[in-house]
Amino acid sequence: MQLKLFESEAAIAAAVSGILIRQVQTKPASVLGFATGSSPVKTYDAMVQAYQNGLVSFRDVVTFNLDEYCGLSKTDETSYYAFMQSHLFGRADFQQKNIHFLDGNAVHAEAACAAYRCEIAAAGGIDIQLLGIGTNGHIGFNEPSDSFSDGPFQVHLAQSTKNANGKYFKDGAMPDTALTMGIGDILRARKLLLIATGESKAKAIRAMVKGEVTPLCPASVLQTHSDVTVFLDAQSASLLAEEDLWQRN
Ligand code: F6R
């Protein structure tokens, strides 16, 4: 696991978007896995900027998002699909036919999850998966539990996740469940980039980097992947020792 410390969120966005853009310039039909939430927003802005400056085209990029709330249609402004449209897909030349999402509105969640797993495999797997991390150590919506799940599944969101994300929903209308890629899906991606900023992430980052590999801190499983880069600011890295950052850079 490579840990990188940055001075600002803007510097993280420049570094992460640079990796994603170079990937697409080298392989225009790259398969990219995306996350939602506040962590990747500036990275998406930088990708849009690069597109507008004519440095990159995303028209052949195939995308898979990590997760989607249950019970929301794509047109619901609080859905993760809508989030991706407004922050990235709708601002650049991504093609709808290349965009893949778990169907949180599916009548049969299990079938939707199985279909997503097949779609990822049919695309040849994910070249680069972007991740954030929850304050409880979740990645995607893999909440702390007693086992790691392999493929996509329906999850009951943890109270800390509802506390963190409730602000995006009117009148506490946040869904209790979501569909998420499993830990196995995330580990099968060839390269992983994780962004964490702010003090609220410091404990989870410490557990991810220094703790035992346990489903009680789902992100700790990233210790077992051979190509993970973690992008931190001073606050999220505040519970790591300086030598942790140096040794792993
Ligand atoms: C969302 C996702 C989540 C978020 C995490 C952090 O697609 O995968 O794991 O990355 O909840 O959210 P933010 O970035 O809002 O702190």
Side-chain angles (χ1 to χ4, degrees):
M1 189 180 286
Q2 240 202 341
L3 306 180
K4 290 182 180 278
L5 185 58
F6 290 82
E7 275 186 2
S8 64
E9 283 189 51
I12 291 177
V16 176
S17 64
I19 293 170
L20 293 167
I21 289 163
R22 278 193 296 281
Q23 168 73 28
V24 174
Q25 287 167 335
T26 311
K27 181 184 171 190
S30 289
V31 182
L32 300 182
F34 288 124
T36 53
S38 59
S39 301
V41 165
K42 286 192 166 60
T43 295
Y44 295 156
D45 288 344
M47 291 170 73
V48 170
Q49 192 68 57
Y51 161 71
Q52 287 172 345
N53 292 343
L55 298 175
V56 66
S57 166
F58 300 108
R59 71 180 309 281
D60 295 324
V61 170
V62 175
T63 77
F64 288 90
N65 261 79
L66 280 167
D67 39 24
E68 181 58 284
Y69 291 113
C70 288
L72 299 184
S73 74
K74 281 184 167 183
T75 52
D76 191 307
E77 60 180 7
T78 51
S79 72
Y80 277 163
Y81 177 82
F83 175 100
M84 290 304 298
Q85 278 301 124
S86 68
H87 287 282
L88 183 63
F89 298 151
R91 299 166 70 203
D93 61 345
F94 289 88
Q95 298 195 74
Q96 285 299 320
K97 70 178 172 72
N98 293 337
I99 293 172
H100 297 86
F101 251 85
L102 280 155
D103 181 1
N105 222 8
V107 179
H108 300 293
E110 257 183 48
C113 289
Y116 205 59
R117 185 183 187 131
C118 292
E119 285 167 10
I120 296 173
I126 294 172
D127 290 309
I128 302 183
Q129 176 66 54
L130 188 56
L131 298 168
I133 184 170
T135 53
N136 64 358
H138 74 216
I139 48 176
F141 274 145
N142 290 268
E143 303 284 24
S145 75
D146 53 11
S147 62
F148 291 120
S149 63
D150 185 39
F153 67 106
Q154 183 167 24
V155 62
H156 282 272
L157 297 170
Q159 191 55 48
S160 63
T161 303
K162 291 195 202 169
N163 295 345
N165 294 359
K167 58 178 181 265
Y168 299 113
F169 294 85
K170 286 187 197 115
D171 307 325
M174 179 163 172
D176 292 323
T177 57
L179 303 186
T180 181
M181 278 189 204
I183 291 294
D185 299 309
I186 293 171
L187 292 181
R188 280 188 284 276
R190 290 180 271 283
K191 185 179 191 65
L192 300 173
L193 308 176
L194 186 145
I195 300 174
T197 59
E199 212 184 330
S200 67
K201 304 291 173 71
K203 268 192 187 162
I205 288 296
R206 186 185 158 82
M208 174 184 88
V209 174
K210 309 263 290 180
E212 65 167 316
V213 176
T214 165
L216 296 174
C217 174
S220 64
V221 81
L222 301 182
Q223 293 175 28
T224 68
H225 192 283
S226 60
D227 189 351
V228 186
T229 309
V230 183
F231 298 80
L232 303 166
D233 65 1
Q235 287 74 33
S236 60
S238 60
L239 296 180
L240 297 175
E242 213 163 289
E243 73 244 29
D244 293 325
L245 292 158
W246 281 113
Q247 275 173 12
R248 291 163 204 256
N249 258 326

